[in-house]
Amino acid sequence: AQTVTQSQPEMSVQEAETVTLSCTYDTSENNYYLFWYKQPPSRQMILVIRQEAYKQQNATENRFSVNFQKAAKSFSLKISDSQLGDTAMYFCAFMKRGGGADGLTFGKGTHLIIQP
Amino acid sequence: DSGVTQTPKHLITATGQRVTLRCSPRSGDLSVYWYQQSLDQGLQFLIQYYNGEERAKGNILERFSAQQFPDLHSELNLSSLELGDSALYFCASSVEASGRNGELFFGEGSRLTVL
């Protein structure tokens, strides 16, 4: 079974700053996907960014980028020029390629607060 | 809007009761997943259906059951409810059995409160 660990229960930064959220995972699989999901107060789970394990290039989506270190099993999310609307719970998640009995395995989440 | 519809959005019931949560996946999606989000357990995968058939089972209690109907909507049945079943229940859908590139689309969730 896979495990996903997010060691920062809560983080707070000023608007326009850059913030990095940490995530580590443990798996014996070689082919998998990693994700960051955002859950704002509306509670909708929104996909922020996705990384395929076989791709060495780090994924980027506008202000969001990841630092994927496969050997270290680390997958951090960097948010540049943070905005008030980025305030939310952020979940790191793992899925084995092909799905399987574990579906998406989530970390416990990091509550990110962007201060004005 | 993800295109995944869940009803009801909120539900309050008593211990020992039975409830049914409903999920309509995005148009064209064949796969439906159910997740439970609680404060102590976080987000837990419950079960997955693909085109009407159970495909994967996670941490789903025996008191819980699910099915996917021919029109691809899914229902999660929770019976003999306990206080600890109070949680947010998410449905997610994807086109393929394992998700297109792993991507799942989540509904807004059904908030269940057991008193």
Side-chain angles (χ1 to χ4, degrees):
Chain A
Q2 288 70 229
T3 59
V4 178
T5 303
Q6 293 178 249
S7 59
Q8 305 149 313
E10 186 171 289
M11 297 185 71
S12 180
V13 298
Q14 296 292 315
E15 192 175 6
E17 289 184 348
T18 294
V19 60
T20 299
L21 309 184
S22 300
C23 172
T24 58
Y25 60 95
D26 188 26
T27 184
S28 58
E29 300 290 336
N30 194 46
N31 294 316
Y32 50 87
Y33 306 108
L34 294 164
F35 309 86
W36 280 97
Y37 277 89
K38 169 184 178 181
Q39 187 179 34
S42 67
R43 77 190 188 194
Q44 176 95 49
M45 294 291 286
I46 302 165
L47 179 65
V48 175
I49 200 164
R50 173 183 60 235
Q51 176 78 41
E52 298 175 36
Y54 67 88
K55 290 187 177 179
Q56 293 186 341
Q57 186 173 8
N58 289 324
T60 62
E61 288 287 343
N62 301 313
R63 297 183 295 108
F64 299 88
S65 62
V66 298
N67 183 3
F68 172 48
Q69 301 289 327
K70 190 173 184 180
K73 295 180 181 174
S74 170
F75 184 61
S76 61
L77 174 69
K78 185 172 83 172
I79 305 174
S80 303
D81 185 27
S82 57
Q83 302 174 358
L84 297 179
D86 295 333
T87 293
M89 283 292 293
Y90 286 81
F91 293 94
C92 180
F94 171 105
M95 179 185 274
K96 184 177 72 172
R97 191 179 177 91
D102 295 331
L104 261 177
T105 301
F106 287 90
K108 294 291 189 185
T110 295
H111 185 204
L112 176 64
I113 300 168
I114 309 298
Q115 304 277 6
Chain B
D1 183 4
S2 67
V4 179
T5 303
Q6 288 188 248
T7 57
K9 285 186 167 46
H10 301 275
L11 187 57
I12 301 174
T13 189
T15 55
Q17 295 298 304
R18 172 189 170 94
V19 299
T20 297
L21 309 180
R22 182 188 170 103
C23 170
S24 294
R26 290 190 322 156
S27 177
D29 283 0
L30 299 177
S31 197
V32 169
Y33 304 74
W34 286 98
Y35 287 85
Q36 178 194 58
Q37 184 178 28
S38 61
L39 284 175
D40 54 343
Q41 295 293 324
L43 275 154
Q44 299 277 321
F45 168 64
L46 296 178
I47 197 164
Q48 179 201 359
Y49 279 82
Y50 177 75
N51 203 21
E53 300 289 326
E54 181 184 306
R55 189 173 188 276
K57 184 177 280 191
N59 299 318
I60 188 166
L61 299 173
E62 287 190 10
R63 299 183 286 110
F64 297 179
S65 64
Q67 55 184 324
Q68 186 179 28
F69 295 86
D71 67 352
L72 300 177
H73 91 271
S74 178
E75 293 181 356
L76 179 66
N77 301 296
L78 315 175
S79 61
S80 301
L81 286 168
E82 302 174 359
L83 296 178
D85 297 328
S86 294
L88 187 56
Y89 291 85
F90 281 106
C91 168
S93 74
S94 65
V95 172
E96 300 164 352
S98 60
R100 172 162 292 172
N101 293 326
E103 184 169 0
L104 305 187
F105 296 87
F106 282 81
E108 293 186 355
S110 293
R111 169 76 69 189
L112 172 65
T113 302
V114 182
L115 300 176

